[in-house]
Amino acid sequence: MQTEHLFELTYIILERKIVTAAEMAKHFGVSIRTIYRWVDALNLAGVPVVTTKGKGGGIQLAEKYTLDKAILTEDEKQEILSSVQALQTLSVGAGSTASLGAISKLKAITSANADWIKVDFATWNPEQNEIKETFKNLKWAILNRRQVSFEYFSGSSENSLRHVDPWKIIFRGQAWYLYSFCKTRNAPRYFKLSRIRNFQILKDEISVEEKDFPEEENKGDYGGDRITNFMQLKVRVADSEVYRILDEYKVESIEETDDKTKILTLDVPDIYWIKSWILSFGSSMQVLEPEKLRLEINAEIKKMHKGMEQRGL
């Protein structure tokens, strides 16, 4: 017997006040006898379900009963409500009838303050119409096990057509990603939804399963390329820029200095865009270790300076 069935049955009775065993048997695809067994189980769990015979009779809950007395703990209900609110904010957008309806129902079954948290990960393009449309179509493709194709703009300046088996939509670092098996690369890959264009749902069913490629064994850079390893980075950073690093990475240590800077040690992915990230700090960051990266950054700065001189800047 699954707890979710008991929860759904309880909620249906709460919403409709009274139902018949025949209705519920048809709704859940089980026998009437099974429904009555569920009623007995609910009573044992502390949910006062009563049955009445005759015209207008059926299965109902004791008057003034609320769901916060059984089935789920208050903490569990708050966790569910917070998750639904987050998903409503991040994906389908405010105003979704389905999301707002689910939130109002969940608020109705919890006795605690249901408005203690608001999740807002809006970007500088708050409408995100393209992402919302891609999200909606990907959700359908994943639930219906259909392959998809799209044009993808990777972080390494590559523009290519991808054909994938979609497995999972992931939210990380203020962005949505698709975790999938890329048939074009013949390996699991992550794709940032904002970089997807010309999305199409194909007729073919998914042929490669996620369980054959455990996610923890296939960590990518969340941009369609593989990360082979991480490196320890030691940098001197202006006090005014420390927050940027704390926003993005786990800092192992912070050393105070006497010149309005701090020395930070952290692990960063050893991948092509890390130099661009470091250069984005301008004169506010100085690489101390590793030596190889420090020399590469210095060489890049000289190259940039030479290019500006050649253009008369």
Side-chain angles (χ1 to χ4, degrees), residues 61-305:
L61 292 169
E63 192 175 356
K64 297 182 180 179
Y65 172 76
T66 58
L67 197 58
D68 61 3
K69 296 177 182 176
I71 304 297
L72 296 174
T73 67
E74 195 60 45
D75 285 345
E76 289 171 333
K77 283 179 286 181
Q78 285 291 312
E79 289 288 345
I80 294 171
L81 178 58
S82 299
S83 298
V84 173
Q85 288 176 315
L87 184 60
Q88 186 253 357
T89 303
L90 294 168
S91 60
V92 295
S96 164
T97 302
S99 295
L100 294 175
I103 289 172
S104 64
K105 290 176 182 178
L106 284 165
K107 285 182 178 179
I109 66 172
T110 177
S111 60
N113 176 15
D115 294 316
W116 66 274
I117 186 171
K118 178 179 179 179
V119 181
D120 186 0
F121 288 123
T123 67
W124 293 110
N125 175 19
E127 292 300 319
Q128 299 187 78
N129 292 327
E130 298 89 352
I131 296 178
K132 290 177 184 178
E133 188 67 20
T134 301
F135 184 99
K136 181 181 71 174
N137 291 330
L138 270 175
K139 175 184 174 183
W140 189 94
I142 291 171
L143 294 177
N144 290 275
R145 296 179 54 79
R146 295 277 287 276
Q147 296 179 24
V148 302
S149 67
F150 49 82
E151 186 179 6
Y152 191 70
F153 295 79
S154 74
S156 56
S157 303
E158 179 188 9
N159 177 17
S160 59
L161 180 65
R162 301 299 183 101
H163 179 190
V164 310
D165 283 340
W167 290 336
K168 185 182 299 179
I169 299 174
I170 297 173
F171 186 84
R172 180 171 180 176
Q174 298 189 1
W176 286 106
Y177 295 85
L178 166 66
Y179 179 49
S180 63
F181 183 82
C182 179
K183 296 180 179 296
T184 309
R185 296 291 185 264
N186 196 36
R189 287 291 186 269
Y190 293 91
F191 298 99
K192 196 170 186 178
L193 265 57
S194 60
R195 299 177 186 172
I196 290 176
R197 291 293 183 274
N198 301 320
F199 180 91
Q200 291 188 0
I201 299 174
L202 307 178
K203 295 181 179 180
D204 298 326
E205 288 191 359
I206 289 175
S207 59
V208 180
E209 302 292 341
E210 179 187 2
K211 62 182 176 61
D212 297 326
F213 296 89
E215 185 180 353
E216 60 272 13
E217 296 178 10
N218 293 282
K219 288 294 184 184
D221 75 334
Y222 284 81
D225 298 295
R226 296 275 301 192
I227 283 181
T228 54
N229 51 51
F230 279 70
M231 64 178 169
Q232 188 173 82
L233 179 65
K234 190 171 185 179
V235 293
R236 182 186 295 273
V237 188
D239 287 347
S240 60
E241 298 295 315
V242 171
Y243 78 94
R244 287 183 55 190
I245 301 176
L246 294 176
D247 282 347
E248 297 189 53
Y249 295 104
K250 179 182 178 181
V251 175
E252 298 296 335
S253 66
I254 301 179
E255 300 176 33
E256 300 287 342
T257 70
D258 298 326
D259 58 356
K260 294 185 179 181
T261 66
K262 288 182 174 57
I263 297 176
L264 277 60
T265 301
L266 61 151
D267 286 337
V268 297
D270 186 4
I271 200 158
Y272 59 89
W273 48 257
I274 200 65
K275 284 189 286 187
S276 297
W277 177 76
I278 292 171
L279 288 168
S280 71
F281 286 82
S283 60
S284 296
M285 177 184 285
Q286 176 189 3
V287 175
L288 303 177
E289 298 177 5
E291 177 71 7
K292 180 176 180 293
L293 179 61
R294 187 180 69 81
L295 295 174
E296 289 176 352
I297 292 293
N298 290 340
E300 186 66 25
I301 292 173
K302 291 177 182 178
K303 182 178 177 181
M304 292 167 60
H305 182 67

Side-chain angles (χ1 to χ4, degrees), residues 21-73:
E23 286 179 300
M24 293 299 94
K26 183 176 180 180
H27 175 82
F28 288 101
V30 298
S31 66
I32 292 177
R33 181 177 296 179
T34 296
I35 295 298
Y36 282 121
R37 282 204 300 268
W38 291 359
V39 168
D40 290 338
L42 286 171
N43 276 297
L44 288 173
V47 183
V49 184
V50 296
T51 58
T52 55
K53 295 182 179 180
K55 186 176 181 180
I59 304 170
Q60 56 189 322
L61 292 169
E63 192 175 356
K64 297 182 180 179
Y65 172 76
T66 58
L67 197 58
D68 61 3
K69 296 177 182 176
I71 304 297
L72 296 174
T73 67

